[in-house]
RNA sequence: GGAGAGGUGGCCGAGUGGUCGAAGGCGCAGCACUGGAAAUGCUGUAUAGGGGCAACUCUAUCGAGGGUUCGAAUCCCUCCCUCUCCGCCA
């Protein structure tokens, strides 16, 4: 959420920055609403002050022995009643205007950071570095082909259980998923992250606090009877972990590594990535999340990205780092580095982690502050996948595939997985 | 699900209609004392929005929302949450 004061005083600044995202808005109506809200609040404050004065006067006079039924008291009471009526009217109006203002503010995306490159969309993103050597041989298989022979997962039967875009893992597939989650969490723990296993059902306030609501309701699964939603990413519950808190400055930065299943409707992606583990309604993810002092957040962004990269490096998975341009930026982000892993079967890079700095955007929505000698201020929040587990498995299978149908497991994962490779002749039962 | 108790400042805890934004304690910060520290003493210490160069001041907030009243932390209603006991359950 953007600062109301800026909306009131210099909305052009906002309009200018939103334009970089490709959003053309006239903020004059919003400015008028904000100013109107403030003017109503001002009137309200003055009336309330008058009402308080009368109330105290009555108390004082009765306390001094004036007969509660004396004319002067009755007159004061009448005056108080008059003010009460006016207060009720203005208060109702102010609430209406304030709610309208908030709703509109909540629907505006974050402003891109100065460093974020301008661009209209995906095609104008900037590659900033690569790591590792991609496998470029011909006839490499895609992960679902590899998995079929090894009987690692089944998507068709999963449609019987749930719907399309769900997966059931079996045997070495299930074990691989489990070992990847443990591996990632241990790696991040060793760097000082606090491990978190949050609720998977989150309420409306949590989704609003991190920016998924009100604009993206159609992307989340909802339990209508309970005001609860299935979390689309651990970013949501972890943000709300400190909602309405003032974090002591010495506790910053707070760094969490949260594992959670993630649920997304993937509305509007019909026909895309219909096979395999790339795009599912339910997938596992280990999410990195920082609450940072505002002055430290730039460095934090570099660090959280490096921490996400370290997983790919440990797993020997080649990748590249993309600096998303303003037109491709997510709603809450002010700048984002995407990590794209190389998928040898598809001969392409695919997003496996998105490392974003949100500035005070989520902190203002969620009211998360810190206090130092200069006063109380909003913290900055950052998030990055570390990593999406299903896509990691896809990359591992395609990268480790051998001509005999087996898959070699990277050394770092062997202690977790318990096998150096996955062999076709392993029993499937 | 049934019965009962309760939700007050960073924490504990007083407050049942009139200078209560809220006693007291703890914690924290500053100052004094000390060679240094402990102990002690003094002072300060919520958040948000408005006005003022500032000192300061106004408004709101005692789980949330509504009501009664000139006036509500205090009375009434609704909801949410927590705890205890019983039932059920992985």
């Amino acid at each position: 959420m953007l600062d109301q004061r800026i909306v009131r005083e210099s909305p052009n600044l906002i309009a200018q920055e939103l334009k970089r995202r490709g959003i053309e808005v006239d903020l004059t109506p919003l400015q008028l609403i904000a100013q109107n809200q403030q003017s109503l609040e001002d009137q309200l404050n003055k009336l309330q002050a008058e009402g308080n004065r009368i109330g105290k006067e009555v108390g004082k006079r009765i306390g001094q022995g004036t007969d509660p039924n004396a004319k002067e008291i009755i007159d004061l009471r009448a005056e108080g009643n008059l003010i009460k009526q006016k207060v009720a009217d203005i208060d109702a109006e102010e609430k209406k205007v304030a709610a309208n203002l908030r709703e509109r503010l909540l629907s505006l995306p974050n402003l891109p950071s100065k460093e974020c490159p301008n661009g209209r969309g995906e095609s104008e993103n900037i590659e900033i570095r690569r790591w590792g050597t991609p496998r470029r041989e011909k006839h490499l298989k895609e992960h679902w082909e590899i998995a079929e022979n090894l009987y690692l997962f089944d998507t068709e039967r999963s449609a019987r259980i749930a719907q399309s875009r769900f997966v059931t893992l079996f045997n070495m597939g299930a074990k691989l998923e489990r070992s990847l989650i443990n591996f990632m969490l241990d790696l991040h723990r060793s760097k000082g992250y606090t491990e978190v296993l949050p609720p998977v059902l989150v309420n409306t306030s949590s989704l609003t606090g991190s920016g998924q609501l009100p604009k993206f309701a159609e992307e989340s699964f909802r339990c209508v009877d309970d005001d609860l939603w299935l979390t689309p990413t651990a970013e949501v519950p972890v943000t709300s972990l400190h909602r309405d808190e003032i974090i002591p400055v010495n506790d910053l930065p707070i760094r969490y590594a949260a594992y959670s299943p993630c649920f997304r409707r993937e509305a509007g992606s019909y026909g895309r990535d219909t096979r395999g583990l790339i795009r599912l309604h339910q997938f596992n993810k280990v999410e990195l999340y920082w609450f940072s002092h505002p002055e430290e957040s730039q460095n934090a962004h570099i660090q959280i990205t490096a921490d996400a990269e370290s997983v790919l490096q440990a797993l020997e998975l080649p990748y590249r780092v993309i600096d998303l341009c303003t037109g491709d930026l997510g709603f809450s982000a002010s700048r984002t580095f995407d990590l794209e892993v190389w998928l040898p079967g598809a001969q392409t890079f695919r997003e496996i982690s998105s490392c974003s700095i949100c500035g005070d955007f989520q902190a203002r929505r969620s009211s998360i502050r810190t206090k130092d000698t200069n006063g109380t201020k909003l913290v900055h929040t950052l998030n990055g996948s570390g990593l999406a587990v299903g896509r990691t498995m896809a990359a591992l299978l395609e990268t480790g595939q051998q001509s005999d149908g087996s898959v070699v497991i990277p050394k770092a994962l062997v202690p977790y997985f318990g096998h150096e490779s996955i062999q076709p002749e392993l029993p499937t039962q």
Side-chain angles (χ1 to χ4, degrees):
Chain A
M1 191 160 65
L2 304 173
D3 192 345
Q4 295 194 23
R5 205 168 315 169
I6 301 176
V7 172
R8 226 158 40 214
E9 288 164 11
S10 40
N12 291 341
L13 284 178
I14 297 172
Q16 233 169 55
E17 293 304 307
L18 287 180
K19 200 172 168 186
R20 294 177 63 207
R21 274 182 176 265
I23 299 170
E24 298 268 2
V25 271
D26 177 11
L27 286 173
T28 312
L30 191 58
Q31 181 185 26
L32 291 176
I33 292 168
Q35 288 171 342
N36 184 220
Q37 185 273 331
Q38 197 175 34
S39 144
L40 285 167
E41 196 178 328
D42 192 50
Q43 294 172 44
L44 192 61
N45 283 177
K46 293 198 166 110
L47 274 173
Q48 282 168 330
E50 180 61 13
N52 288 342
R53 195 192 61 75
I54 292 170
K56 276 182 187 160
E57 189 64 26
V58 172
K60 197 171 125 196
R61 291 198 192 180
I62 293 175
Q64 283 169 351
T66 306
D67 177 4
N69 292 318
K71 180 166 187 308
E72 54 180 301
I73 299 294
I74 290 176
D75 285 349
L76 279 172
R77 283 214 288 252
E79 202 180 336
N81 270 323
L82 203 66
I83 287 170
K84 190 159 65 167
Q85 188 52 52
K86 284 188 195 162
V87 164
D89 290 347
I90 295 180
D91 185 49
E93 178 68 9
E94 194 275 340
K95 279 199 170 118
K96 228 167 66 188
V97 173
N100 180 236
L101 176 63
R102 181 173 164 80
E103 196 182 343
R104 285 163 182 256
L105 281 172
L106 285 174
S107 297
L108 286 177
N110 199 0
L111 306 180
S113 80
K114 285 186 203 69
E115 293 79 11
C116 186
N118 288 322
R120 279 177 298 264
E122 201 175 342
S123 61
E124 294 180 65
N125 292 338
I126 294 171
E127 179 178 323
I128 47 184
R129 62 177 171 271
R130 287 189 181 204
W131 184 92
T133 310
R135 288 185 67 173
R136 301 275 189 184
E137 309 104 281
K138 302 279 178 208
H139 314 302
L140 289 173
K141 289 180 178 166
E142 303 220 52
H143 64 276
W144 57 86
E145 303 173 86
I146 300 164
E148 192 169 8
N149 295 328
L150 303 175
Y151 202 48
L152 302 181
F153 58 81
D154 187 322
T155 47
E156 283 171 32
R157 285 197 173 103
S158 301
R160 188 186 292 162
I161 301 172
Q163 263 184 15
S164 64
R165 290 203 192 284
F166 283 89
V167 73
T168 307
L169 299 166
F170 294 91
N171 296 309
M172 290 299 163
K175 195 172 179 188
L176 185 54
E177 181 91 358
R178 175 159 60 91
S179 61
L180 277 170
I181 294 166
N182 280 333
F183 169 74
M184 291 178 193
L185 286 171
D186 282 353
L187 181 64
H188 297 310
R189 279 179 76 114
S190 76
K191 296 181 175 184
Y193 282 85
T194 302
E195 184 174 340
V196 172
L197 189 66
V200 167
L201 293 179
V202 297
N203 57 35
T204 297
S205 298
S206 296
L207 277 163
T208 305
S210 48
Q212 278 74 16
L213 288 178
K215 276 205 93 172
F216 305 103
E218 70 285 352
E219 256 309 303
S220 291
F221 290 101
R222 184 177 193 183
C223 309
V224 284
D225 290 338
D226 302 283
D227 180 37
L228 288 169
W229 309 66
L230 287 169
T231 185
T233 161
E235 176 191 343
V236 175
V238 173
T239 305
S240 279
L241 218 45
H242 292 285
R243 181 147 47 88
D244 297 320
E245 276 186 29
I246 296 177
I247 301 170
V249 71
N250 290 331
D251 290 359
L252 295 176
I254 298 178
R255 297 178 296 154
Y256 291 120
Y259 158 72
S260 85
C262 302
F263 303 88
R264 299 183 184 179
R265 299 179 67 94
E266 298 294 345
S269 68
Y270 305 110
R272 245 194 300 162
D273 306 314
T274 50
R275 311 189 65 179
L277 304 175
I278 298 299
R279 191 177 299 277
L280 298 169
H281 287 311
Q282 175 184 343
F283 62 96
N284 293 308
K285 182 158 61 69
V286 172
E287 182 79 356
L288 304 177
Y289 197 102
W290 288 48
F291 295 89
S292 157
H293 192 280
E295 283 156 28
E296 310 287 337
S297 61
Q298 292 298 326
N299 286 333
H301 192 202
I302 291 167
Q303 190 56 53
I304 198 173
T305 308
D307 290 339
E309 284 177 69
S310 73
V311 182
L312 288 165
Q313 292 174 8
L315 295 175
E316 302 167 50
L317 295 172
Y319 65 92
R320 63 179 185 178
V321 183
I322 303 290
D323 192 354
L324 294 194
C325 74
T326 50
D328 204 25
L329 220 47
F331 184 77
S332 299
S334 70
R335 196 183 188 196
T336 298
F337 298 124
D338 269 6
L339 307 186
E340 295 186 344
V341 71
W342 177 254
L343 291 181
Q347 288 287 299
T348 184
F349 286 102
R350 281 311 290 261
E351 177 188 336
I352 197 166
S353 173
S354 201
C355 302
S356 300
I357 175 167
C358 299
D360 62 16
F361 186 81
Q362 292 177 323
R364 184 173 290 107
R365 291 172 160 251
S366 298
S367 188
I368 306 170
R369 293 147 294 168
T370 188
K371 193 170 9 178
D372 60 22
T373 47
N374 295 322
T376 306
K377 56 190 78 171
L378 295 164
V379 301
H380 283 188
T381 59
L382 303 97
N383 65 80
S385 339
L387 304 163
V389 181
R391 289 188 178 188
T392 304
M393 188 187 311
L396 277 183
L397 295 176
E398 295 192 14
T399 304
Q401 64 179 295
Q402 307 298 308
S403 50
D404 64 0
S406 69
V407 173
V408 173
I409 298 299
K411 282 188 195 66
L413 193 62
V414 172
Y416 289 86
F417 183 54
H419 311 271
E420 291 180 356
S421 65
I422 306 174
Q423 297 293 338
E425 55 272 8
L426 277 173
T428 56
Q429 295 305 315

